[in-house]
Amino acid sequence: MPLFPHRIPNVVHHVRVRDESIGGDNPFKWEMKLTHEIVGREKCIIFALPGAFTPTCSTFQLPDFEELYPRFQKAGIENIFCVSVNDTFVMNKWAEDQGLEHVKVIPDGSGKFTSSIGMDVYKDNLGFGIRSWRYALIVKNFEIEQQFVERGFKHNADDDPYGVSSPQNILAFLEGREYDAGGEALQLNLLDGVGSEDKIG
């Protein structure tokens, strides 16, 4: 497997999008979108976490990215995306619950993106099954420019470290201040559509 840095995977995400033409109480339709289609070529942050509605994710990480979005814009970040191994219904409801205006959620219900990027871990000790380790990436034109992986990557970890992938730490990096470089080097495989931008033009 090639070592970081490389391109982010380009896998299919099943999403529910609002379509007012449908009418009724549930005006949503299914769409299948590729990762590259969702994130685009602009400089962005993709951060991943163990699960929607979980304590650290809902209390600190997601709301802080939302609140600090103007500072990220000043630092050259166009968009911020949150990925979790949850289905689109859960991710959409979580985004609504959090009142998100800036951070966009990406459902990875089958874990294809997470496994392709090598960040899938067992969390059976918590009854979660396979989820994502906590990390963040700075990406431009699908290329990973910087990674922020929490330390202690392992299956069935007793704790859920948080700090390296926090928005405050990433801002420190972007603003040229001292920052925590984090844990293990991210490794990607090339089996799930990496480099397949030809699919979306």
Side-chain angles (χ1 to χ4, degrees):
M1 280 194 284
L3 288 173
F4 159 90
H6 214 285
R7 298 163 72 81
I8 58 169
N10 193 27
V11 304
V12 173
H13 302 268
H14 293 77
V15 299
R16 295 279 286 173
V17 296
R18 194 172 188 89
D19 184 349
E20 297 297 345
S21 67
I22 296 173
D25 297 330
N26 189 29
F28 289 85
K29 65 181 180 181
W30 284 103
E31 286 189 359
M32 293 191 296
K33 292 180 176 276
L34 290 165
T35 310
H36 291 185
E37 181 183 8
I38 295 171
V39 304
R41 296 181 180 274
E42 295 82 8
K43 191 168 187 175
C44 68
I45 291 171
I46 300 172
F47 70 97
L49 36 77
F53 291 102
T54 54
T56 301
C57 310
S58 295
T59 306
F60 300 107
Q61 194 169 23
L62 182 58
D64 284 357
F65 269 112
E66 175 73 13
E67 181 180 350
L68 293 170
Y69 177 74
R71 286 181 61 184
F72 281 109
Q73 274 193 311
K74 289 181 181 178
I77 298 297
E78 293 290 331
N79 291 298
I80 301 175
F81 299 94
C82 173
V83 178
S84 182
V85 183
N86 291 109
D87 63 68
T88 185
F89 293 100
V90 170
M91 293 297 280
N92 286 351
K93 191 63 179 177
W94 191 34
E96 178 185 337
D97 183 73
Q98 290 279 323
L100 297 184
E101 296 182 6
H102 306 298
V103 177
K104 301 173 177 69
V105 296
I106 302 177
D108 188 30
S110 297
K112 290 184 178 179
F113 182 88
T114 301
S115 61
S116 295
I117 211 163
M119 289 287 105
D120 52 319
V121 290
Y122 293 113
K123 286 189 169 287
D124 296 314
N125 59 324
L126 299 176
F128 280 15
I130 298 175
R131 294 296 179 102
S132 176
W133 190 252
R134 199 183 297 274
Y135 67 91
L137 308 171
I138 296 175
V139 176
K140 183 176 182 180
N141 196 28
F142 315 133
E143 298 283 339
I144 299 172
E145 294 188 343
Q146 185 69 27
Q147 59 169 339
F148 303 86
V149 181
E150 299 291 344
R151 292 179 177 84
F153 180 91
K154 62 182 285 189
H155 294 298
N156 296 313
D158 292 329
D159 58 356
D160 177 22
Y162 175 61
V164 177
S165 64
S166 69
Q168 292 83 358
N169 189 52
I170 299 171
L171 269 175
F173 168 79
L174 289 168
E175 295 173 349
R177 295 181 283 114
E178 184 177 351
Y179 73 100
D180 188 342
E184 296 83 353
L186 192 63
Q187 295 189 12
L188 307 184
N189 68 50
L190 303 180
L191 300 180
D192 287 276
V194 178
S196 59
E197 69 277 10
D198 57 301
K199 293 182 180 178
I200 60 173

